[in-house]
Amino acid sequence: MTDPQIHKGLAGVLVDTTRISKVNPETNSLLYRGYPVQELAARCSFEEVAYLLWNGELPTEAQLAEFTDGERAQRALTPELKAVIDALPVTCHPMDVCRTAASVLGASHELAEDSSVQANMDKAVGLFAAMPAVVAYDQRRRRGEDVVEPRDDLGYSANFLWMTFGEEAAPEVVEAFNVSMILYAEHSFNASTFTGRVITSTLSDLHSAVTGAIGALKGPLHGGANEAVMHTFAEITESAADGDVAAHAAAWLDEALAEKKKIMGFGHRVYKNGDSRVPTMKASLDNMVKYYDRPDMGELYTALETAMGERKNILPNLDYPAGPVYHLMGFDTPTFTPLFVAARITGWTAHIMEQLEANSLIRPLSEYNGAEERHLP
Ligand code: SDX
């Protein structure tokens, strides 16, 4: 029995205010700077949403033009960063490459030790611009494919897909990818964002905070879940040789629950009546199932969701539809969480800058329950 004053996992504990986003489990809604995320996903580019998260307002046409010019000018990987990535074994997890890249970008930044508002905004845009090239380059090198240089005539999402696959993606695919980036961008004080705020609260630099946040996001209880969803789908598909996906999904789930396993892509610390982002991401999945003519993926998704609903009142979170969308687009499964990194760079850096506005060192207390005081003989 823990002391009632202890809030394990900080569950339900309010630690600060934020103006960046509002997660409301009662209304099952998510606002980015006051705008419902569903409206932003349907009508904005990820560049516009990034600008909104950082500045509090959507950009004017002129502001957007200036912002995208700056972003497009920073997309290419430097030879030094490529050399560092090449030095990492292809057997390491792609999240380790993202974490290392954030660190290298910090170490080599001309304003590395400058934490002024302008310097941090420059750093945030630099990470936003460069992370897609890191993710794309890493997947290609693992496949033995040559680097594809960024194109400054393509928007963020179209360019991300271009650098990854070496061909221009269809508008439907670009649209689904853009939606996924917007939905993944920001979610108040989730574990990785709070990690970034803790690091920032000591007045450490932005890249150190982002590096720590990437480390937190890697875990399967957090960002790593989208990759884990695909491992689940692969196991069920393998066992469903007879085509009875529903039966095999149910059997797989019964075994996993019997072993007290956490089912990846389901549940949420804040949303208890479903993740507000799922309907929008699921609609994109339906579009991708149609575009790639993969009804089997839709069937698998529904089979496991139905089986889970019949057994536990634990609903899908964003990672559940996001994983299959990225799979259908052709991303390798270990690349899924790096895609989450690329999107969340915006939310993380917005929170880092907000933390600095009215900073207070984050240092909670602990209740000691170790050995009673004693002394050396
Ligand atoms: C993200 O915080 C954010 O906003 C994160 C995120 C973001 O945008 O930044 O939304 C992104 O991280 C989404 C979550 C991705 N993770 C997963 O899909 C991993 C599987 N999910 C679980 O690990 C779990 O649901 C958590 C960690 C996400 C939240 O769980 P909590 O709050 O620690 O646990 P809970 O109080 O919700 O669980 C209550 C009960 C427990 O059972 P008992 O031990 O009381 O018997 O429900 C069970 C849990 O074991 N439970 C699950 C489960 N989720 C909760 N059981 C099986 N499978 C699950 N997925």
Side-chain angles (χ1 to χ4, degrees):
M1 173 65 186
T2 54
D3 181 311
Q5 294 308 314
I6 291 178
H7 304 278
K8 202 133 181 78
L10 295 181
V13 175
L14 285 171
V15 292
D16 207 337
T17 60
T18 181
R19 301 187 314 281
I20 300 169
S21 69
K22 179 174 184 176
V23 179
N24 188 335
E26 279 68 52
T27 57
N28 197 7
S29 60
L30 171 59
L31 305 177
Y32 288 175
R33 300 285 190 178
Y35 291 102
V37 71
Q38 293 79 4
E39 286 180 31
L40 296 170
R43 295 175 48 193
C44 295
S45 67
F46 185 37
E47 293 93 320
E48 289 171 302
V49 172
Y51 187 99
L52 170 69
L53 289 171
W54 286 322
N55 298 286
E57 296 296 338
L58 284 163
T60 62
E61 231 175 277
Q63 288 167 332
L64 182 62
E66 185 189 356
F67 170 63
T68 47
D69 285 350
E71 180 262 325
R72 295 182 187 199
Q74 301 180 74
R75 286 175 171 174
L77 291 184
T78 61
E80 296 78 12
L81 181 49
K82 272 186 197 155
V84 169
I85 294 173
D86 287 341
L88 298 176
V90 290
T91 49
C92 80
H93 195 287
M95 285 294 278
D96 299 353
V97 175
C98 290
R99 195 187 61 220
T100 305
S103 227
V104 170
L105 288 166
S108 49
H109 199 283
E110 57 189 8
L111 302 172
E113 298 313 317
D114 179 345
S115 287
S116 65
V117 170
Q118 191 50 56
N120 277 343
M121 190 63 87
D122 291 349
K123 292 176 184 181
V125 174
L127 278 165
F128 173 74
M131 202 48 82
V134 169
V135 175
Y137 180 67
D138 186 41
Q139 174 165 299
R140 292 185 67 85
R141 76 181 184 116
R142 292 166 190 268
R143 292 183 175 189
E145 298 167 342
D146 291 337
V147 63
V148 172
E149 294 301 334
R151 283 176 47 181
D152 61 11
D153 62 323
L154 295 177
Y156 176 97
S157 294
N159 175 62
F160 204 146
L161 293 159
W162 160 258
M163 290 191 295
T164 306
F165 301 109
E167 58 189 33
E168 280 193 42
E172 299 90 330
V173 177
V174 174
E175 170 59 21
F177 189 84
N178 185 64
V179 166
S180 77
M181 290 289 110
I182 291 171
L183 295 177
Y184 264 135
E186 157 63 12
H187 211 242
S188 77
F189 279 21
N190 58 85
S192 55
T193 296
F194 190 62
T195 300
R197 290 190 77 130
V198 169
I199 294 170
T200 301
S201 79
T202 73
L203 299 185
S204 184
D205 68 289
L206 179 140
H207 286 89
S208 295
V210 169
T211 303
I214 293 171
L217 190 74
K218 179 180 178 183
L221 293 191
H222 189 15
N226 60 10
E227 172 183 341
V229 167
M230 276 327 289
H231 295 320
T232 298
F233 280 13
E235 285 176 27
I236 294 171
T237 305
E238 207 178 300
S239 70
D242 60 2
D244 188 348
V245 174
H248 288 279
W252 180 93
L253 185 57
D254 287 337
E255 191 178 333
L257 291 175
E259 291 166 11
K260 294 273 182 240
K261 282 183 182 170
K262 297 276 192 186
I263 312 306
M264 296 293 117
F266 286 87
H268 199 277
R269 173 60 65 78
V270 178
Y271 293 121
K272 292 307 178 191
N273 302 307
D275 184 324
S276 67
R277 302 162 293 185
V278 166
T280 307
M281 195 71 246
K282 176 61 169 57
S284 292
L285 174 57
D286 293 343
N287 293 341
M288 290 298 96
V289 163
K290 244 186 253 110
Y291 177 79
Y292 289 103
D293 190 23
R294 286 291 305 276
D296 60 304
M297 190 58 70
E299 192 190 356
L300 192 49
Y301 179 99
T302 306
L304 184 58
E305 182 188 29
T306 305
M308 188 71 169
E310 289 164 351
R311 289 158 179 78
K312 296 196 81 136
N313 180 26
I314 299 172
L315 298 167
N317 58 54
L318 176 57
D319 293 312
Y320 188 57
V325 164
Y326 292 145
H327 175 75
L328 291 175
M329 289 177 176
F331 289 102
D332 296 340
T333 301
T335 304
F336 291 6
T337 312
L339 296 173
F340 195 158
V341 169
R344 192 57 58 94
I345 289 287
T346 55
W348 289 332
T349 50
H351 279 274
I352 288 164
M353 290 187 270
E354 184 179 67
Q355 178 69 33
L356 286 173
E357 284 169 15
N359 187 48
S360 171
L361 176 68
I362 299 173
R363 198 279 185 214
L365 294 176
S366 55
E367 172 89 353
Y368 177 71
N369 65 356
E372 287 305 317
E373 183 174 345
R374 51 188 170 162
H375 298 282
L376 293 170

